[in-house]
Amino acid sequence: MRLWIIRHGETKGNQAGILRGASSANDEITDTGYGQARAMAGRIGGGEPRPQAVYASRYRRAQQTAQPLAERLGVPLTVLPGVHEVDCGEWAGEPYSALKQHPERLELGGGELGFRGGETFREIAARFRVDVDGLPERDAALVSHGGIIRIALADLLGLDVREVWRGGEFMLKNAEWVVLERQQGAWSLLE
């Protein structure tokens, strides 16, 4: 099984570079975001192999990004409950740059990383994994969010989330993607 994990198209929050967390559930993609979604659908939906199913988070921007791909492939869009944006707690309203400038604030004690007043990285990875590991064995696309994708990819690939976060790995731009493959229950990175 191949899985295209895609970050949603651009939003006004992305333009402003502000962490929004749970309050952003109804944020819509911009005109640029719609263009990104259509371009992504053309590339993924026009290639081989291609997804046989399309999934998105429960947040509006992920569904808006996934819809052109679902339409191109002629499949329904299915919403998954656990792949939504991280609850960034006390970080809500801060600029993205604060994550780089103050990484020590992600230390919650006891070796735990997370967002004070929100979720831990462990909780974030666990809810994403439940949804992804439960997908049927067929090629699929999943539209989610930048922060959770980084954390979830570290978990799915067996990487140290601390190193992935500090090293800036898997920082997808809007409507960019990675492709994973699952064989015998284990995930590996294809592209």
Side-chain angles (χ1 to χ4, degrees), residues 7-178:
R7 184 178 178 205
H8 62 79
E10 179 193 77
T11 66
K12 288 182 180 178
N14 297 145
Q15 289 174 336
I18 300 295
L19 294 164
R20 302 235 319 116
S23 68
S24 68
N26 290 317
D27 287 3
E28 297 191 13
I29 58 177
T30 63
D31 289 343
T32 297
Y34 278 107
Q36 292 167 335
R38 287 189 299 273
M40 173 274 296
R43 289 188 57 209
I44 293 175
E48 284 295 335
R50 71 182 79 168
Q52 304 303 305
V54 177
Y55 301 95
S57 96
R58 56 189 170 95
Y59 283 26
R60 179 175 288 161
R61 61 188 177 272
Q63 294 172 37
Q64 289 173 324
T65 303
Q67 193 61 47
L69 179 59
E71 289 172 2
R72 178 168 183 121
L73 296 171
V75 300
L77 172 59
T78 303
V79 174
L80 296 178
V83 299
H84 56 280
E85 183 64 275
V86 301
D87 179 350
C88 60
E90 296 172 10
W91 288 80
E94 293 201 38
Y96 294 160
S97 60
L99 292 168
K100 288 182 183 178
Q101 293 169 349
H102 303 288
E104 73 282 355
R105 288 180 48 208
L106 291 170
E107 298 283 345
L108 300 179
E112 189 85 58
L113 288 178
F115 299 94
R116 278 185 178 52
E119 294 177 287
T120 67
F121 281 23
R122 184 176 33 83
E123 291 167 334
I124 293 164
R127 68 175 162 83
F128 193 97
R129 182 177 277 276
V130 165
D131 279 357
V132 169
D133 283 350
L135 294 176
E137 286 292 326
R138 63 180 178 196
D139 289 353
L142 167 61
V143 179
S144 188
H145 308 268
I148 192 171
I149 289 173
R150 292 183 68 202
I151 295 164
L153 286 174
D155 177 63
L156 292 171
L157 298 171
L159 303 173
D160 182 332
V161 70
R162 225 176 262 285
E163 295 303 316
V164 167
W165 196 266
R166 283 187 195 138
E169 293 178 69
F170 305 125
M171 290 185 69
L172 301 180
K173 294 179 182 169
N174 293 112
E176 284 189 334
W177 63 87
V178 297

